[in-house]
């Protein structure tokens, strides 16, 4: 069972941004920028760890869900754009990174990761969730 499956199951806490019956979005705990969000499919066993192994319906749904989350993320953070990256090497569970950007340098995964207090992470997650509710 992957770390992300344990988050979906509520075994590990997360800063949830959005959820429906098939997808889950939560803040990255080692963000590149404030609001850096991960979007994942809720997968049956065995878990897919490569995005292009997903069936077409799940892949399309994941990207539509990520688009909705990105809209709320942009509204909540005031960034110019929301960058999208699929790396998939750090956790063996399909996931999409949504990163608020004001310049292309904001998406460099070699940048130092932010260390934000739990209270600030909760505030960011809530502001994104509220922006999604308004949309």
């Amino acid at each position: 069972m992957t770390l992300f499956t344990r988050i979906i199951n509520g075994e590990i806490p997360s800063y949830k941004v959005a959820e429906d019956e098939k997808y889950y979005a939560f803040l990255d705990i080692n963000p590149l920028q404030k609001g850096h969000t991960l979007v994942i499919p809720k997968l049956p066993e065995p878990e897919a760890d490569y995005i292009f192994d997903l069936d077409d319906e799940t892949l399309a749904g994941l990207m539509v869900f990520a688009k909705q989350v990105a809209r709320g993320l942009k509204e909540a953070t005031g960034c110019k754009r929301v960058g999208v990256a699929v790396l998939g090497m750090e956790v063996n569970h399909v996931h999409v990174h949504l990163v608020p950007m004001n310049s292309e340098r904001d998406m460099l995964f070699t940048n130092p990761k932010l260390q934000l207090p739990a209270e600030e992470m909760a505030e960011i997650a809530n502001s994104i969730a509220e922006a999604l509710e308004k949309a």
Side-chain angles (χ1 to χ4, degrees), residues 21-133:
E21 63 281 349
K22 294 183 179 181
Y23 307 100
Y24 190 82
F26 57 100
L27 294 182
D28 190 314
I29 60 169
N30 296 303
L32 290 172
Q33 303 296 324
K34 290 181 181 181
H36 180 169
T37 300
L38 301 176
V39 181
I40 60 176
K42 297 177 178 179
L43 301 168
E45 298 292 335
E47 298 153 327
D49 71 343
Y50 181 53
I51 195 164
F52 296 122
D53 286 341
L54 294 176
D55 63 78
D56 291 349
E57 182 181 341
T58 302
L59 175 60
L62 177 66
M63 296 314 291
V64 169
F65 187 79
K67 177 182 176 181
Q68 295 165 350
V69 173
R71 286 182 175 156
L73 182 54
K74 187 174 187 298
E75 175 70 26
T77 63
C79 63
K80 290 182 182 177
R81 301 255 171 123
V82 174
V84 179
V86 178
L87 306 173
M89 304 299 269
E90 58 281 349
V91 175
N92 292 331
H93 188 122
V94 171
H95 57 288
V96 174
H97 293 263
L98 299 177
V99 181
M101 294 173 46
N102 291 306
S103 78
E104 289 183 4
R105 290 184 305 273
D106 293 339
M107 277 290 291
L108 294 176
F109 281 80
T110 55
N111 285 343
K113 307 304 184 262
L114 301 178
Q115 300 295 315
L116 303 173
E119 301 80 26
E120 188 172 1
M121 293 285 283
E123 287 174 18
I124 293 167
N126 288 335
S127 67
I128 298 167
E130 289 172 6
L132 283 167
E133 288 176 16

Side-chain angles (χ1 to χ4, degrees), residues 1-15 19 24 40 43 45 47:
M1 182 177 300
T2 71
L3 173 70
F4 289 169
T5 300
R6 294 181 66 207
I7 288 172
I8 291 166
N9 293 340
E11 298 169 22
I12 297 174
S14 67
Y15 298 99
E19 179 179 22
Y24 190 82
I40 60 176
L43 301 168
E45 298 292 335
E47 298 153 327

